[in-house]
Amino acid sequence: MIIIFALFLLSLLVITALAIVRTENLFVAVMLTSIFSLLMAANFFILDAADVALTEAAVGAGITTVIFLSALALTAQREKVVTAGRRPALVVVAVLATLIIYATFDKPRLGDPDAPVHQHLAPWYLENTPELMDFPNVVTAVLGSFRGYDTLGEVFVVFAACIGVLFILGVKPPAGSRYNPDSSGLRHHLIPQVVGRLLIPFIVLFGLYVQFHGEYGPGGGFQAGALIASGVILYALLEGEAAALRAVPQSVLMGLVVGGACLYGGVGLLCILLGGNFLEYSVLLSDPVSGQQLGILLIEAGVGMAVCGALLSIFHAFAARPMRS
Amino acid sequence: MNLLELLGYFNYWVFAIVLSVGLYTVIAKVNLVKKLIGLSIFQSAVFLMYITMDKVEGGTAPIIQKGVENQVFSNPLPQVLILTAIVVGVSTLALGLAIVVRIYEAYGTIEEDEILDAD
Amino acid sequence: MQIDVMDLTPHLPALQVIVPMLCAPLILLLKPRGLAWAGATAAALLSFAIALNMALAVNTGAYFNYDMGGWEAPYGIELSVGAFGALVLLIVTGAGAAAMLAARPSVDSQIEAERQPLFYSAWLLALAGLAGIVVSADAFNIFVFMEISSLASYVLIAGGPDRRALPAVFKYLIMGTIGATFYLIGIGLVYMMTGTLNLADMEARIGDVTDINPILVAAGFITIGLALKAAVFPLHVWLPNAYTHSPHIVTVFLAACATKVAIYVLVRFDFFVFQDNLENHDLQFSLFLMPLALLGILMASAVAMFEGHIKRLLAMSSVAQIGYIILGASFVSEAGLTASAAHMFNHALAKGGLFLAIAGLACHYRDLRLEQLGGAARSMPWTAAAMVICGFSLVGIPGTAGFISKWLLIDAAMDEGRFAWLLVAIIIASSLMALAYVWRIIETLYFKPPVVAEAPAEAPLQLLLVTWLVALANIGFGLFPQFPLALSSAAAQLLLGRAS
Amino acid sequence: MIESAVDVMSWILLFTGGAFVLIGGIGALRLPNFYTRLHAASLTETMATILIFAGMILQAGLSLAALKLLAIMVFLLLTAPTASYALANAALQSGMRPEAESGGEDT
């Protein structure tokens, strides 16, 4: 039953992708991209990747769409139709697709328990996580500790994007640009405002739940950061940019980003000082298992802070920018 | 060929098709925002490939419940990798959009051919 | 709790990445003028010191291995630094530190004061990302750090006042992301067939794979993805504009090291992982890359000879030099790989020095087209002289560093059997072309009448000192090339030692 | 006995809910203009949501899952009509008049 559903979802995915290419209205394309991400998240869920599905839904379908829309508001809404250059693109793409489909015939079939990926590293993780960390979510264990260095890198990717957007949009907009504070926000619309005010606390609460429940269920710092950020973004959409910046000022956001990144790195350095390797949380406490738990809790907090602050900074950088007249 | 096997191939084919659609958009379209949308589809396709290989027949998400015996779990590692890759993708996208906004401010257009003509 | 003075030596590979990376957010807190620069310079110099320390240790036969998080190799992420890694780290951190030392006057003139902390922070991130790629022994970890360095370099390139930088950096972003995603597809396929991400483990397990098609496709994806990042001809189209329109000091940093790191990963993947496991892989590797390298050398040199903008001229020359490095690697011989590694080092010295001198010129000449630079040597004799030295090194005049690696390359080409004479002829012909375009620069600086009326002064002292330091290094390593050569040949043995 | 009664009940709810989704979908495709289509689509948001979630809660029984389903239902009942409102409002502001004879407009 679920397989038929998966086939259906995958077909929808292809159709959505084709529709995105064909539409000339960028606004429509962005909304379709959001749907595409949501379908992708559903597919991930069917394939047992709950954490990834949550992230794709929060980041791909949520935050990405908002950033796209705020960028579209600053540029143009329609694309020009150009037909030149289609043929070489088609050739490149056809070669690529053939190559990949050629490669698939030797791939292990879906769900094959004897596939190499299920034989080598994964059993070790599944076997040792309960013993070494004593919590159920193996994804969090791999993310936070076994491959914690990747996650550190990931935090710094987000950090790079944040300072990059601030740096690139830090240039004064061209003369004649003006920012109309009334144009943003749905202040005059009673219904969205009332519902939004009702929901925002629960969104933030849910974000905190996801943050601190990551060891036990799907979730963790990234998802939590994205969820909390989306709560604040909703506030900004309802009450206007200025109100959102009053509630959570830019300096606080920068503090979150810098603090989160430094918290993560600081935990790693502390491990060196206590005689372990970088990010070896076992040395944090006398009991290695609680050391691991404490370490993962701290770094997940760092990740959540950094991601939330960075996504909000990026959003504000776009949304508060005056429009070229 | 049972249904799961078909789905296995179907997943990879969808991966190949979506990947091609994304790359085609990046190469053939001249609108910069459209190129970025294509780029994000292109990356999503790769996520699908990774997540496809993590599935184990009869498995569940890798969250180990205590006291339940003989559970089969899907592979946690590709999931971790793709969590990272999703965040990387969104970061690239944000940066790209910031550049597009600046290009529009400097040139008054986001069509690649018109920008090339302007210089 | 008492903390003794710890021995940090085993932690050096990790610190190499962590020091600049963690300093990046802290730089943002240094708002007052000049402090951000000072902090970033300190961090860059510290990471150079770490790299030097490791290079010296590696030169005496050490090999660094580090288990991140204390988890042993295939389960956790492993870092490893051998001779090749140490050499590339020296190039990366050296370029980062030298350019940063000289950066202040140039940055002050090109980037607003309130944006400078962000700029320096991005610089350190780029440095950390490049270093992270080099030290990592984990395929996916390489991807993560590749993205850190790429995002940071997009930011750096887009930073200048020139609006043409924006479309250039957009193109770079698109092509760079496609390259990185191709790489991701490649390691995904390898992971699918072997179940591991650790390079050494991959090498061990790839031999057991019976269904070889996905691995072959993976090798293709990885090679093309990294070739995109490395700007191998004809995938170099993002490079000339990105280097031409970026802030001058950023060009120094990126031209000296960014593409070389991608070549490093390419060579490492092909030699460590694929070479001895795939039948005929060395032949495929040669057949694929050698024609591209030769075409790149000839075409890019030819374009450079007729280029009017001095930065674009040198950027095209970079494409040609990447061709030399790839050519050496494509011989799949010890001599060829030694020449390649040595050329990475020497080209970084020559190109870094040239772009530093250009940053000096740019302090007074707003327009860097050659026709505008006439007679610059009269008012800026020191900058021009440094440029001549580095230019000779680029051409490969005896007595400079560039000569050593060109000689090694010709030497390696001699062993290539029937077509040796053709390879040697191409190398010599392209060196003559290099002489032609370097001569155009010298002619403009020394023998053309001044076009710009104002009488500019010499470049700022800070910039000039670093420029001369690099220029003298070009001569120094030309006369006493033992240290980089020892590292290079150790690197070549390491790469092939596993292969034989 | 009571179990099968609950089962039958939940299936009835699920099927009626599904029927409403279908009707809403057909309406969104077939009705003449934007506002009528929106009207049809909002059928899925309210009636179908309630029915389907009620059916699923009956399936889940008294458990944590039922509570989560209830929370999701409340969330959907709050947000979906708001989204419909915002959509209609945006259409009105961009100059689309809700007139019966303006059928066939498709922009």
Side-chain angles (χ1 to χ4, degrees):
Chain A
M1 191 62 196
I2 195 117
I3 288 173
I4 296 170
F5 190 54
L7 288 172
F8 172 67
L9 277 179
L10 287 167
S11 313
L12 273 184
L13 205 62
V14 174
I15 294 168
T16 318
L18 289 173
I20 293 170
V21 182
R22 290 192 59 85
T23 177
E24 280 150 32
N25 188 330
L26 292 175
F27 184 78
V28 173
V30 168
M31 293 322 288
L32 284 173
T33 313
S34 175
I35 293 172
F36 180 86
S37 289
L38 215 53
L39 286 169
M40 199 57 118
N43 262 315
F44 290 162
F45 189 76
I46 289 176
L47 295 167
D48 293 342
D51 284 271
V52 185
L54 185 54
T55 314
E56 177 73 27
V59 174
I63 305 277
T64 311
T65 313
V66 173
I67 295 175
F68 256 125
L69 289 180
S70 40
L72 274 192
L74 293 172
T75 55
Q77 286 231 347
R78 288 201 151 263
E79 72 170 315
K80 210 178 60 175
V81 187
V82 177
T83 46
R86 279 191 187 172
R87 183 121 345 127
L90 273 179
V91 172
V92 170
V93 161
V95 170
L96 183 79
T98 321
L99 254 181
I100 290 170
I101 291 179
Y102 168 71
T104 53
F105 288 115
D106 279 350
K107 280 176 187 169
R109 70 183 170 82
L110 177 76
D112 183 358
D114 297 326
V117 273
H118 304 310
Q119 295 300 319
H120 186 38
L121 297 182
W124 190 88
Y125 291 135
L126 289 166
E127 205 172 292
N128 286 294
T129 298
E131 205 177 301
L132 293 169
M133 276 104 184
D134 194 28
F135 57 68
N137 192 349
V138 186
V139 174
T140 304
V142 179
L143 188 82
S145 185
F146 297 122
R147 294 188 72 87
Y149 182 54
D150 267 353
T151 311
L152 178 69
E154 185 182 354
V155 168
F156 276 85
V157 170
V158 178
F159 174 74
C162 170
I163 60 166
V165 170
L166 291 180
F167 179 72
I168 290 172
L169 293 181
V171 174
K172 287 202 180 56
S177 306
R178 80 174 63 81
Y179 180 67
N180 182 4
D182 291 332
S183 69
S184 83
L186 300 166
R187 226 165 317 172
H188 312 299
H189 299 289
L190 191 61
I191 296 174
Q193 210 171 11
V194 170
V195 175
R197 281 184 184 169
L198 199 67
L199 286 180
I200 288 167
F202 288 101
I203 294 176
V204 174
L205 187 70
F206 182 61
L208 290 173
Y209 166 80
V210 167
Q211 168 83 53
F212 293 107
H213 200 255
E215 281 95 344
Y216 303 97
F222 288 106
Q223 295 93 330
L227 281 169
I228 296 174
S230 63
V232 180
I233 289 175
L234 183 59
Y235 185 75
L237 293 177
L238 293 172
E239 311 280 340
E241 267 300 299
L245 276 175
R246 265 199 307 282
V248 193
Q250 188 64 41
S251 53
V252 173
L253 293 179
M254 268 340 269
L256 275 177
V257 176
V258 173
C262 289
L263 178 62
Y264 201 146
V267 170
L269 285 180
L270 190 65
C271 294
I272 289 189
L273 284 182
L274 293 175
N277 274 359
F278 189 70
L279 296 175
E280 187 172 356
Y281 314 128
S282 304
V283 296
L284 287 177
L285 293 176
S286 52
D287 174 27
V289 174
S290 6
Q292 287 287 345
Q293 287 179 342
L294 177 69
I296 292 177
L297 189 75
L298 285 175
I299 63 116
E300 287 275 15
V303 172
M305 282 161 68
V307 169
C308 176
L311 291 177
L312 280 174
S313 297
I314 291 171
F315 168 73
H316 284 311
F318 282 105
R321 192 162 179 86
M323 171 79 185
R324 180 190 156 122
S325 49
Chain B
M1 186 187 276
N2 68 20
L3 212 50
L4 193 70
E5 208 164 320
L6 177 70
L7 179 66
Y9 282 117
F10 199 62
N11 259 309
Y12 291 126
W13 292 341
V14 168
F15 153 67
I17 295 169
V18 174
L19 189 83
S20 315
V21 169
L23 192 63
Y24 173 79
T25 317
V26 177
I27 300 174
K29 300 285 171 176
V30 291
N31 184 291
L32 301 185
V33 174
K34 202 61 176 285
K35 272 179 188 280
L36 284 177
I37 291 176
L39 203 62
S40 92
I41 295 175
F42 179 63
Q43 290 179 315
S44 297
V46 183
F47 305 162
L48 184 65
M49 178 187 97
Y50 272 79
I51 298 299
T52 302
M53 65 173 121
D54 89 348
K55 174 80 180 169
V56 180
E57 210 162 357
T60 59
I63 297 170
I64 300 169
Q65 262 110 27
K66 271 194 184 139
V68 186
E69 295 293 317
N70 292 330
Q71 292 182 96
V72 181
F73 296 108
S74 288
N75 191 337
L77 189 53
Q79 303 190 13
V80 173
L81 305 184
I82 290 315
L83 274 177
T84 308
I86 288 177
V87 178
V88 168
V90 96
S91 305
T92 315
L93 212 57
L95 204 57
L97 282 170
I99 296 168
V100 171
V101 167
R102 279 283 307 282
I103 289 179
Y104 185 75
E105 285 173 1
Y107 291 85
T109 174
I110 50 169
E111 308 288 336
E112 200 175 35
D113 48 344
E114 291 171 15
I115 294 165
L116 289 178
D117 289 344
D119 277 328
Chain C
M1 188 177 64
Q2 183 205 350
I3 298 176
D4 300 309
V5 178
M6 295 171 53
D7 181 21
L8 287 175
T9 315
H11 295 293
L12 284 181
L15 290 175
Q16 179 75 75
V17 186
I18 293 158
V19 166
M21 192 153 88
L22 288 187
C23 288
L26 296 176
I27 294 294
L28 292 183
L29 305 176
L30 301 173
K31 282 275 152 58
R33 246 172 104 72
L35 261 186
W37 172 77
T41 309
L45 284 175
L46 187 57
S47 61
F48 180 60
I50 293 172
L52 197 62
N53 212 325
M54 278 202 286
L56 291 174
V58 164
N59 204 23
T60 57
Y63 190 88
F64 287 90
N65 263 321
Y66 193 81
D67 291 335
M68 269 291 164
W71 305 114
E72 57 178 317
Y75 307 110
I77 294 171
E78 185 193 14
L79 307 184
S80 69
V81 178
F84 197 16
L87 182 75
V88 179
L89 279 178
L90 264 189
I91 299 173
V92 169
T93 55
M100 184 57 107
L101 263 180
R104 200 163 161 212
S106 183
V107 169
D108 275 345
S109 70
Q110 287 199 299
I111 291 164
E112 301 89 326
E114 70 271 15
R115 295 204 301 152
Q116 281 184 12
L118 292 167
F119 177 83
Y120 290 124
S121 179
W123 185 293
L124 287 183
L125 280 179
L127 185 59
L130 292 170
I133 298 172
V134 179
V135 298
S136 183
D138 185 281
F140 189 79
N141 192 245
I142 290 176
F143 167 76
V144 174
F145 279 85
M146 202 189 283
E147 285 298 294
I148 296 182
S149 70
S150 305
L151 286 183
S153 20
Y154 306 148
V155 175
L156 293 176
I157 293 174
D162 188 346
R163 76 169 184 172
R164 284 168 297 176
L166 295 166
V169 83
F170 188 82
K171 187 175 226 169
Y172 182 19
L173 183 137
I174 295 282
M175 296 193 69
T177 310
I178 292 178
T181 311
F182 269 32
Y183 174 77
L184 192 62
I185 297 172
I187 59 172
L189 290 172
V190 175
Y191 171 67
M192 187 185 283
M193 302 315 290
T194 61
T196 186
L197 291 164
N198 185 287
L199 292 185
D201 200 28
M202 241 178 218
E203 191 210 356
R205 296 177 65 89
I206 225 168
D208 302 337
V209 177
T210 44
D211 305 322
I212 210 73
N213 284 346
I215 301 283
L216 286 177
V217 174
F221 271 111
I222 291 174
T223 308
I224 292 178
L226 290 171
L228 252 171
K229 285 265 178 198
V232 174
F233 185 88
L235 302 171
H236 69 280
V237 286
W238 56 268
L239 186 141
N241 274 341
Y243 282 9
T244 308
H245 302 302
S246 65
H248 305 302
I249 207 71
V250 173
T251 316
V252 178
F253 178 32
L254 294 182
C257 63
T259 53
K260 296 183 183 67
V261 171
I263 297 177
Y264 166 82
V265 180
L266 178 66
V267 169
R268 228 161 87 118
F269 242 102
D270 274 298
F271 282 83
F272 275 177
V273 180
F274 295 133
Q275 198 74 271
D276 47 342
N277 288 311
L278 297 182
E279 211 175 325
N280 287 334
H281 183 74
D282 45 355
L283 193 65
Q284 289 163 0
F285 184 77
S286 297
L287 281 182
F288 179 66
L289 284 176
M290 200 185 288
L292 292 187
L294 293 173
L295 266 177
I297 294 172
L298 288 175
M299 303 284 279
S301 301
V303 173
M305 286 204 303
F306 299 101
E307 190 52 65
H309 191 289
I310 189 167
K311 279 179 88 178
R312 187 191 291 271
L313 187 158
L314 291 177
M316 285 318 290
S317 141
S318 276
V319 177
Q321 304 289 328
I322 290 163
Y324 288 124
I325 299 171
I326 296 284
L327 182 66
S330 74
F331 294 158
V332 198
S333 67
E334 191 178 328
L337 283 167
T338 309
S340 253
H343 198 65
M344 279 192 192
F345 185 82
N346 294 338
H347 173 244
L349 279 179
K351 210 34 91 46
L354 279 167
F355 276 119
L356 273 169
I358 288 176
L361 281 180
C363 289
H364 300 297
Y365 290 88
R366 289 281 160 257
D367 191 343
L368 286 175
R369 280 174 303 170
L370 277 177
E371 70 226 38
Q372 298 288 315
L373 292 174
R378 280 175 223 172
S379 46
M380 305 176 88
W382 288 95
T383 309
M387 208 164 199
V388 171
I389 295 175
C390 297
F392 281 165
S393 179
L394 187 67
V395 178
I397 307 277
T400 58
F403 170 71
I404 305 289
S405 45
K406 279 249 171 88
W407 182 254
L408 285 174
L409 197 63
I410 292 177
D411 201 35
M414 295 287 201
D415 300 336
E416 285 303 297
R418 289 230 316 268
F419 296 104
W421 59 271
L422 183 65
L423 295 172
V424 173
I426 287 178
I427 295 172
I428 290 176
S430 69
S431 293
L432 290 177
M433 284 153 118
L435 186 62
Y437 59 69
V438 169
W439 177 251
R440 279 185 69 207
I441 298 177
I442 296 173
E443 187 193 13
T444 310
L445 294 182
Y446 282 89
F447 306 116
K448 288 266 175 74
V451 178
V452 180
E454 66 195 287
E458 189 48 89
L461 189 63
Q462 189 182 0
L463 195 52
L464 197 61
L465 280 178
V466 180
T467 312
W468 266 92
L469 191 72
V470 177
L472 290 178
N474 268 303
I475 295 181
F477 284 115
L479 299 177
F480 308 101
Q482 287 83 0
F483 180 59
L485 279 192
L487 276 179
S488 304
S489 76
Q493 278 160 7
L494 195 67
L495 286 170
L496 289 170
R498 298 252 190 126
S500 59
Chain D
M1 182 60 212
I2 190 90
E3 275 146 36
S4 59
V6 167
D7 225 28
V8 169
M9 191 63 205
S10 89
W11 277 110
I12 292 173
L13 286 170
L14 285 172
F15 269 107
T16 7
F20 274 110
V21 174
L22 199 64
I23 297 168
I26 294 172
L29 278 176
R30 298 284 301 156
L31 285 175
N33 67 22
F34 175 80
Y35 294 96
T36 45
R37 285 179 187 183
L38 192 64
H39 174 73
S42 56
L43 195 67
T44 6
E45 289 162 3
T46 47
M47 203 60 206
T49 309
I50 295 172
L51 289 174
I52 290 177
F53 272 93
M56 285 198 286
I57 289 170
L58 285 186
Q59 283 284 323
L62 275 178
S63 66
L64 192 63
L67 200 67
K68 284 181 184 169
L69 283 170
L70 195 70
I72 297 172
M73 184 176 94
V74 171
F75 182 79
L76 280 180
L77 285 179
L78 278 173
T79 50
T82 315
S84 289
Y85 163 81
L87 214 57
N89 193 62
L92 196 64
Q93 288 208 336
S94 62
M96 211 183 269
R97 308 304 309 171
E99 283 147 4
E101 60 270 25
S102 72
E105 49 76 29
D106 219 348
T107 44

